Amino acid sequence: MSSISKYSKINSLKSVKKCLFPAAGYGTRFLPATKAMPKEMLPVLTKPLIQYGVEEAVSAGIDTMAIVTGRGKRAIEDHFDVSYELEHQIKGTSKESYLTEIRNLIDNCTFSYTRQVEMKGLGHAILTGKTLIGDEPFAVILADDLCDNNDEDPVLKQMVEVYEKYRCCVVAIEEVPKEETNKYGVIDGKIVDGNESVLRVSNMVEKPDPKDAPTNLAIIGRYILTPDIFDVIENTKPGKGGEIQITDALLELAQQGKVIAYKFQGKRFDCGSIEGFVEATNYFHDKAK
Ligand code: UTP
């Protein structure tokens, strides 16, 4: 899809206008690469993970990016800013086109940042983003979960459509091998409207042992959240690993029937793990051939 047609879809009548990127984590699984460089800047081919995420948000009609950063994450801000010297240097050469996609994002989106001072977990990172989101529904992308589907129907766009139908929180889920449930938030729920891809969530557990997992339906790094989640997170106690877990906060809304789980169409790569990162690199390399 050309960049012009992508951006022309963005308009102020959209139900979900902002996307939050929690990007303050330490990325310890990728040390030493992540010692001085944010995990979100690791490239799959030539593009950093977070740029894939921003492009997915744009494809869902979102033009306002809210990024939760932390110490050592300045490269993210620099990436979504112009680099006059570099652009001047390659102007008129064959290399100019390498910057076209990122330049389009910079010209057509707004990027704002806030810092999570203490890394107290994903729920806490989302709460830190409240100041950038305000009182409206918003999307959340964890950039290290790299998703791909055809250009017409990216994963976040599918989720915005589900949100527009049910007007409550939506979490993306996929089936994982039962022995891997201890890496994910896991849900249980009932199919809604006879659509096997849509479940009303009745239970959620953070990283359960396989023997305690209610199902093998795992939450991946895509959410649409309603702003009432902020009050709930404020009252959520630290859970698994001593961190404030978004799963625990969402469980409270789920018990009020306010959370939908959606089995998305497409592929997902856990680029926070070495195996997932290598798989994504091979996949995108094959796709680009
Ligand atoms: P992860 O647990 O996958 O990221 O958190 P991590 O902690 O950076 O990675 P490892 O396990 O040490 O390798 C999921 C997402 O939540 C963000 C991370 O940046 C990642 O995008 N996060 C997590 C925060 O922003 N703040 C936190 O306190 C924790």
Side-chain angles (χ1 to χ4, degrees):
M1 188 189 297
S2 80
S3 58
I4 293 172
S5 61
K6 240 194 234 178
Y7 293 111
S8 62
K9 282 190 184 164
I10 298 175
N11 66 65
S12 57
L13 299 174
K14 280 273 174 189
S15 59
V16 181
K17 293 180 228 158
K18 295 183 181 170
C19 186
L20 187 70
F21 293 82
Y26 293 120
T28 51
R29 282 169 293 166
F30 257 96
L31 284 169
T34 47
K35 185 163 174 272
M37 184 182 79
K39 170 169 76 172
E40 297 73 16
M41 289 301 293
L42 288 171
V44 168
L45 306 189
T46 56
K47 234 169 12 188
L49 290 171
I50 194 157
Q51 187 177 334
Y52 286 94
V54 169
E55 287 176 355
E56 188 184 333
V58 167
S59 303
I62 294 170
D63 65 358
T64 303
M65 310 301 158
I67 305 182
V68 178
T69 65
R71 285 178 294 284
K73 301 275 184 171
R74 273 234 352 239
I76 298 176
E77 293 181 47
D78 289 341
H79 186 69
F80 295 109
D81 197 354
V82 284
S83 173
Y84 289 108
E85 204 181 322
L86 175 65
E87 289 184 31
H88 175 75
Q89 197 73 33
I90 62 177
K91 200 171 172 56
T93 75
S94 58
K95 293 181 181 156
E96 202 175 356
S97 62
Y98 296 163
L99 292 179
T100 308
E101 285 181 340
I102 182 67
R103 190 68 210 223
N104 273 330
L105 294 177
I106 294 166
D107 290 345
N108 290 286
C109 301
T110 306
F111 295 85
S112 40
Y113 301 85
T114 190
R115 274 190 181 219
Q116 188 186 15
V117 176
E118 283 180 277
M119 309 326 159
K120 294 191 202 163
L122 178 58
H124 182 260
I126 291 174
L127 180 60
T128 305
K130 179 182 179 182
T131 174
L132 303 175
I133 298 295
D135 190 22
E136 57 182 284
F138 60 103
V140 176
I141 288 183
L142 306 185
D144 49 354
D145 261 347
L146 180 49
C147 290
D148 190 55
N149 196 35
N150 61 50
D151 278 351
E152 284 67 46
D153 214 9
V155 174
L156 197 67
K157 180 164 176 266
Q158 298 169 38
M159 293 180 68
V160 168
E161 281 160 14
V162 173
Y163 169 77
E164 283 173 348
K165 182 156 184 206
Y166 295 99
R167 297 275 158 184
C168 65
C169 294
V170 183
V171 298
I173 52 165
E174 73 175 9
E175 290 185 33
V176 296
K178 189 92 184 185
E179 61 273 16
E180 290 184 16
T181 55
N182 56 2
K183 295 189 196 162
Y184 298 93
V186 173
I187 68 113
D188 197 0
K190 284 217 162 61
I191 291 170
V192 181
D193 295 337
N195 181 348
E196 295 205 347
S197 299
V198 178
L199 287 85
R200 176 86 56 191
V201 176
S202 55
N203 192 14
M204 311 178 95
V205 194
E206 182 64 17
K207 300 191 174 80
D209 275 348
K211 65 176 172 21
D212 303 324
T215 66
N216 67 338
L217 298 172
I219 303 173
I220 63 115
R222 298 288 180 283
Y223 306 75
I224 308 284
L225 300 176
T226 51
D228 49 348
I229 194 73
F230 293 127
D231 285 343
V232 181
I233 302 173
E234 268 169 18
N235 293 308
T236 299
K237 303 244 164 3
K240 198 105 186 179
E243 296 191 332
I244 296 177
Q245 302 289 353
I246 189 64
T247 313
D248 295 340
L250 278 168
L251 175 60
E252 187 166 329
L253 294 183
Q255 284 163 344
Q256 299 164 33
K258 291 183 182 167
V259 181
I260 290 285
Y262 170 64
K263 281 188 201 166
F264 61 94
Q265 301 286 318
K267 285 186 81 64
R268 192 253 340 175
F269 302 94
D270 173 13
C271 290
S273 75
I274 295 168
E275 297 72 26
F277 186 85
V278 171
E279 209 187 314
T281 302
N282 288 329
Y283 169 86
F284 281 95
H285 186 250
D286 288 348
K287 194 176 166 178
K289 274 182 194 161

